[in-house]
């Protein structure tokens, strides 16, 4: 009964261990396995690998002007792992979720490959400046760990101020978030007034920087925050495809490959020496964002992809010297150990029970037995086929001590002795038979229990073997398919790379033409606006000048009219005065003529004197009249003429004075 209980306990333990064994390890939740070589091969068409003296092989993207990691052509979405960067670039699955970014003074933004996946390798900050609240993030540079990023302390490397990107908190989950970035000149002041966001998400002993929590974003945006579920895909063609509440992400486990190397790599020092004025990095000030020169990056890519490269600058690695970039047929032990199951899956954690179950797994086809005290005796008691081994029991040992065959030494010849010996032998045989029967019954029970356990184990092993064979067959088929797919993919990639290169060149040409057209259109629009503004200003000036001229003419006309009126009034006043003077002179002349006539009658001498005085006065008056006539206008000429005529008449009327008497006649 105890044996049956042990057997039942073994079976139950085996079932528990079977349930405790997690599902077959799949890298990054079915994301697959890759090596560093796949980074080198997949990113080659989209940029240039450069051999950096400090960081090894780094990748410089052939991106547009002003490119910035985690800022250009992408946006943030909330997932189970926190804020996840969704990039629109076909190479964004690698460069924004593995490795680190740094900005070189000559080559601009460089990506250093890494082996761990994350929703984004950035550091987060938040705070207020004035009335607005901001979120800020910046790429983690090499040498900064997650603990330093969320702790903010330590004496190690620090993220430069111009790496940071800031946006008002209300726009953090907008697909067009790039329209709301704060200008770099203001970002530095904002960053200095913010604090580090220490939110993390720990899953399967892996810590991720999650950034702002959904509650904080909901409070800032006043809208519900959708949290997307991550769906793993095994290729890069449909990455970052958002559908309903899920997002497709390619996040394979990366295995370090010491022999991996790019097909072509540019020597950083040699290229810089040959092209000192073709820097990809901008030369802006300390507060300016590290910009990116597309023309210089395109030239670097052309030098690397030249069919006849300069061996002093470009090192070409042959295909035979590089490892196969295809995924391995079976997952490596390290990647299997680092398996990260999807949140919410039924896989159990790495407990001692699962370790024990993992340690008991054998190669396909082997009959693994549970290593328990109850199972060991049953296993030890199973005799090999064809063996005559007897059970190690006292009864069996007693049976082995019976006398030897007749004729041997010590044989008794008496009938009594023989009868006694036979009786003893019979008893011994019966005892041995009973013991054998008991032992056989016990062995039968034990064998039955062992057979049951063995059958259960064999069924389990058969199932495991069948599953292993199926998996092996599936892996073989998958390997064949992968090899075919790899070959087809390689050919497709080559064709695609050629097409992409051609398309890229065409797109570049189209973009250059579009940019030229846009620049021309912008210049034409600016010129048209400037001409329009100049015309408007000229018209305004002309109108203003016309109005001023009109006003001046009006003022001048008024002044002329006023002056004419004043001159007319002066002339009228002068004429009136002249008329009064003429009348007074006429009256005086008349009075004087009357007086002269009376004086002439009184005495000739008095008349002569008066005549002389009158003549003198007449001459004076005539001189005065002549002076007045010279000063007067043509209008007064008639009056002067009339006065002269009257004066002449008066002179004719006056008596002529007697000539003086000579002295001798007196």
């Amino acid at each position: 009964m105890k044996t049956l209980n042990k057997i039942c306990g073994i079976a139950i333990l085996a079932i528990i261990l079977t349930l405790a064994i997690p599902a077959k390890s799949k890298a990054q939740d079915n994301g697959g396995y890759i090596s560093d070589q796949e980074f080198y091969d997949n990113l080659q068409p989209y940029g240039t690998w450069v051999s950096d003296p400090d960081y090894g092989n780094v990748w410089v993207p052939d991106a547009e002007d002003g490119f910035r990691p985690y800022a250009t052509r992408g946006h943030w979405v909330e997932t189970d792992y926190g804020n996840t960067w969704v990039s629109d670039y076909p190479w964004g699955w690698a460069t924004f979720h593995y490795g680190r970014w740094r900005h070189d003074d000559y080559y601009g933004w460089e990506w250093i490959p890494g082996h761990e996946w994350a929703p984004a390798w950035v550091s987060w900050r938040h705070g207020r400046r004035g009335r607005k609240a901001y979120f800020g993030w910046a790429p983690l540079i090499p040498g900064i760990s997650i603990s330093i990023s969320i702790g903010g302390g330590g004496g190690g490397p620090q993220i430069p101020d111009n790496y940071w990107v800031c946006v008002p908190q209300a726009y953090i989950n907008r697909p067009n978030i790039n329209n709301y970035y704060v200008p770099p000149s203001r970002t530095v002041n904002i960053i200095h007034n913010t604090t580090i966001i220490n939110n993390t998400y720990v899953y399967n002993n892996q810590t991720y920087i999650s950034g702002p929590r959904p509650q904080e974003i909901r409070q800032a945006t006043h809208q519900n925050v959708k949290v997307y579920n991550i769906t793993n895909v095994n290729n890069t063609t449909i990455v970052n495809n958002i559908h309903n509440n899920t997002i497709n992400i390619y996040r394979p486990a990366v295995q370090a490959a010491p022999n991996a190397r790019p097909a072509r790599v540019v020597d950083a020092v040699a290229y810089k020496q040959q092209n000192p004025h073709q820097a990809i990095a901008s030369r802006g000030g300390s507060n300016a964002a590290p910009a990116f020169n597309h023309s210089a990056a395109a030239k670097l890519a052309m030098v690397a992809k030249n069919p006849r490269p300069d061996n002093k600058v470009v090192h070409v690695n042959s295909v035979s010297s590089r490892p196969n970039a295809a995924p391995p047929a079976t997952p490596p032990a390290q990647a299997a150990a680092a398996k990260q199951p999807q949140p919410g899956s039924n896989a159990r954690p790495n407990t001692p029970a699962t370790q024990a179950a993992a340690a008991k797994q054998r190669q396909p086809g082997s009959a693994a037995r549970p290593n328990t005290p109850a199972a060991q005796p049953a296993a030890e008691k199973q005799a090999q086929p064809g063996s005559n081994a007897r059970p190690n029991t006292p009864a069996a040992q007693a049976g082995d001590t019976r006398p030897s065959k007749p004729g041997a030494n010590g044989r008794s010849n008496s009938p009594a002795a023989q009868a006694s010996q036979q009786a003893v032998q019979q008893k011994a045989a019966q005892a041995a038979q009973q013991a054998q029967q008991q032992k056989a019954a016990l062995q039968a029970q034990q064998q039955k229990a062992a057979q049951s356990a063995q059958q259960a184990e064999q069924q389990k092993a058969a199932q495991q073997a069948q599953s292993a064979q199926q998996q092996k067959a599936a892996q073989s088929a998958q390997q064949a398919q992968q090899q075919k797919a790899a070959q087809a993919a390689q050919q497709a990639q080559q064709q695609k790379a050629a097409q992409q290169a051609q398309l890229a060149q065409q797109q570049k040409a189209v973009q250059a033409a579009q940019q030229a057209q846009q620049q021309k259109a912008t210049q034409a629009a600016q010129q048209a606006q400037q001409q329009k503004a100049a015309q408007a200003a000229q018209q305004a000036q002309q109108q203003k000048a016309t109005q001023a001229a009109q006003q001046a003419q009006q003022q001048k006309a008024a002044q002329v009219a006023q002056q004419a009126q004043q001159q007319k009034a002066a002339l009228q006043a002068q004429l009136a005065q002249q008329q009064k003077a003429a009348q007074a002179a006429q009256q005086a002349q008349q009075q004087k003529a009357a007086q002269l006539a009376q004086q002439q009658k009184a005495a000739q001498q008095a008349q002569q004197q008066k005549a002389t005085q009158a003549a003198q006065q007449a001459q004076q008056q005539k001189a005065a009249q002549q002076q007045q006539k010279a000063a007067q206008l043509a209008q007064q000429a008639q009056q002067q003429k009339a006065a002269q005529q009257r004066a002449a008449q008066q002179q004719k009327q006056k008596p002529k004075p007697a000539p003086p008497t000579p002295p001798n006649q007196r």
Side-chain angles (χ1 to χ4, degrees):
M1 191 67 182
K2 292 181 179 179
T3 304
L4 292 175
N5 291 334
K6 289 181 180 180
I7 293 171
C8 293
I10 293 170
I12 294 172
L13 180 61
I15 294 172
I16 293 173
L17 292 177
T18 303
L19 293 175
I21 296 174
K24 183 175 178 62
S25 299
K26 296 182 180 180
Q28 301 285 3
D29 305 335
N30 298 324
Y33 297 89
I34 64 172
S35 68
D36 295 327
Q37 190 62 47
E38 189 157 342
F39 282 152
Y40 294 144
D41 294 341
N42 283 340
L43 299 184
Q44 187 79 33
Y46 304 106
T48 307
W49 287 99
V50 177
S51 178
D52 188 275
D54 296 326
Y55 298 96
N57 292 329
V58 299
W59 183 72
V60 178
D62 187 8
E64 63 267 28
D65 289 337
F67 165 78
R68 298 181 67 187
Y70 302 105
T72 307
R73 292 180 61 180
H75 63 282
W76 295 103
V77 298
E78 192 76 24
T79 66
D80 295 330
Y81 295 91
N83 286 272
T84 303
W85 181 254
V86 178
S87 175
D88 297 334
Y89 291 109
W91 39 266
W93 66 271
T95 58
F96 299 121
H97 301 285
Y98 299 88
R100 304 294 177 88
W101 284 92
R102 66 176 291 271
H103 192 267
D104 184 78
D105 293 337
Y106 181 85
Y107 288 96
W109 287 106
E110 299 176 339
W111 178 70
I112 298 93
H115 296 152
E116 295 183 9
W117 182 91
W121 290 99
V122 298
S123 180
W124 287 91
R125 301 182 75 93
H126 61 173
R128 303 185 68 89
R129 180 168 177 80
R131 297 182 179 180
K132 285 189 177 182
Y134 296 92
F135 286 127
W137 64 91
L140 292 178
I141 61 177
I144 295 183
S145 63
I146 293 179
S147 60
I148 296 177
S149 172
I150 62 177
Q158 299 294 325
I159 299 176
D161 290 342
N162 57 0
Y163 276 36
W164 290 90
V165 179
C166 289
V167 70
Q169 293 184 359
Y171 307 113
I172 186 63
N173 57 357
R174 294 288 184 90
N176 58 341
I177 189 174
N178 60 304
N179 293 333
Y180 304 98
Y181 291 156
V182 176
S185 58
R186 294 175 47 205
T187 300
V188 176
N189 295 330
I190 294 174
I191 289 300
H192 290 172
N193 289 276
T194 58
T195 57
I196 294 177
I197 299 178
N198 293 320
N199 299 332
T200 59
Y201 174 74
V202 180
Y203 184 74
N204 199 25
N205 297 326
Q206 182 69 35
T207 301
Y208 302 100
I209 300 176
S210 58
R213 299 191 185 278
Q215 296 84 350
E216 188 176 1
I217 298 176
R218 187 180 299 111
Q219 184 178 1
T221 60
H222 303 288
Q223 295 178 354
N224 292 328
V225 179
K226 183 180 289 187
V227 179
Y228 292 90
N229 298 320
I230 292 179
T231 300
N232 296 291
V233 295
N234 57 3
N235 58 70
T236 62
T237 57
I238 56 174
V239 295
N240 298 338
N241 183 15
I242 299 177
H243 181 68
N244 293 334
N245 294 329
T246 62
I247 177 173
N248 295 328
I249 292 181
Y250 178 54
R251 52 180 194 140
V254 181
Q255 180 185 11
N259 296 328
R261 58 183 61 89
R264 295 191 176 194
V265 60
V266 175
D267 187 283
V269 178
Y271 181 84
K272 183 177 179 180
Q273 290 176 351
Q274 285 191 4
N275 303 275
H277 303 294
Q278 297 294 328
I280 301 173
S282 69
R283 302 294 183 184
S286 59
N287 292 335
F292 196 86
N293 189 330
H294 169 69
S295 299
K299 180 179 179 180
L300 175 66
M302 289 177 62
V303 171
K305 297 173 183 178
N306 191 338
R308 295 181 179 179
D310 183 359
N311 56 7
K312 295 181 181 179
V313 177
V314 181
H315 180 69
V316 179
N317 295 310
S318 62
V319 178
S320 59
S321 65
R322 295 185 289 120
N324 188 6
T330 57
Q334 295 177 352
K339 180 180 76 69
Q340 299 178 0
Q342 180 74 13
S345 62
N346 295 327
R348 291 173 172 79
N350 190 13
T351 60
T354 60
Q355 294 176 354
K360 292 177 183 179
Q361 293 181 352
R362 299 292 188 268
Q363 297 295 331
S366 65
R369 295 179 176 84
N371 188 16
T372 59
Q376 289 178 355
E380 292 174 356
K381 291 179 182 179
Q382 293 180 357
Q384 298 293 332
S387 65
N388 295 325
R390 293 181 175 85
N392 189 15
T393 61
Q397 293 175 357
D400 291 338
T401 60
R402 64 178 180 267
S404 61
K405 293 181 179 180
N409 294 330
R411 178 180 177 183
S412 178
N413 295 325
S414 65
Q418 291 178 356
S420 176
Q421 187 177 0
Q422 290 178 356
V424 172
Q425 291 177 353
Q426 288 178 358
K427 288 182 180 180
Q430 290 177 356
Q433 186 176 3
Q434 290 178 357
Q436 288 179 355
Q437 289 176 354
Q438 291 177 357
K439 183 179 179 181
L442 181 60
Q443 286 179 352
Q445 291 179 355
Q446 291 177 351
Q447 288 177 356
K448 188 175 181 180
Q451 287 175 358
S452 299
Q454 186 176 3
Q455 287 177 357
E457 291 177 358
Q458 288 176 352
Q459 289 177 356
K460 182 180 177 182
Q463 291 176 354
Q464 290 178 350
Q466 185 178 2
S467 177
Q469 288 177 356
Q470 291 176 353
Q471 290 176 357
K472 189 174 181 180
Q475 289 175 356
S476 299
Q478 187 177 3
Q479 286 179 356
Q481 290 179 355
Q482 287 176 352
Q483 289 177 355
K484 291 181 181 179
Q487 293 175 355
Q490 187 175 5
Q491 293 176 356
Q493 283 180 356
Q494 292 175 353
Q495 294 176 355
K496 186 177 180 181
Q499 292 176 355
Q500 286 177 349
Q502 186 177 2
L503 288 173
Q505 291 178 354
Q506 293 176 354
Q507 288 177 356
K508 288 178 183 178
V510 172
Q511 288 177 356
Q514 289 179 351
Q515 289 178 356
Q517 290 178 354
Q518 290 176 356
Q519 289 177 356
K520 288 181 180 178
T522 304
Q523 292 176 356
Q526 290 178 353
Q527 290 177 356
Q529 289 179 354
Q530 291 174 356
Q531 290 177 355
K532 188 175 180 180
Q535 290 176 356
Q538 187 176 3
Q539 291 177 356
Q541 289 178 356
Q542 289 176 354
Q543 291 178 356
K544 189 175 181 181
T546 303
Q547 292 176 356
Q550 289 178 353
Q551 291 177 357
Q553 289 178 356
Q554 291 175 357
Q555 291 177 358
K556 189 174 182 181
Q559 291 176 358
V560 170
Q562 187 176 4
Q563 290 176 359
Q565 290 178 356
Q566 291 175 356
Q567 290 177 357
K568 186 177 180 181
L571 290 172
Q572 290 177 354
Q574 189 176 3
L575 290 173
Q577 289 178 358
Q578 290 175 357
Q579 288 176 359
K580 288 181 180 180
Q583 291 175 359
Q586 187 176 4
Q587 291 176 0
Q589 288 177 358
Q590 291 175 357
Q591 291 176 0
K592 286 179 181 181
Q595 290 176 0
L596 287 172
Q598 290 175 1
Q599 289 175 0
Q600 285 176 0
K601 291 178 180 180
Q604 289 181 351
Q605 293 178 348
Q607 288 179 352
Q608 290 177 353
Q609 291 178 354
K610 287 181 181 178
T612 302
Q613 291 177 356
Q616 291 177 353
Q617 289 178 357
Q619 289 178 354
Q620 291 176 357
Q621 288 177 359
K622 186 177 180 181
Q625 289 176 358
Q626 288 178 352
Q627 290 176 355
Q628 290 178 357
K629 288 178 183 179
Q632 290 176 354
L633 299 173
Q635 295 177 357
Q636 298 176 357
Q638 293 178 358
Q639 295 177 356
Q640 290 176 357
K641 188 177 181 180
Q644 289 175 0
Q645 290 176 357
R646 285 194 296 272
Q649 290 177 0
Q650 290 177 2
Q651 288 177 358
K652 290 179 180 180
Q653 292 176 2
K654 289 180 181 180
K656 294 180 180 181
T661 303
N664 55 3
Q665 291 181 2
R666 292 180 180 178

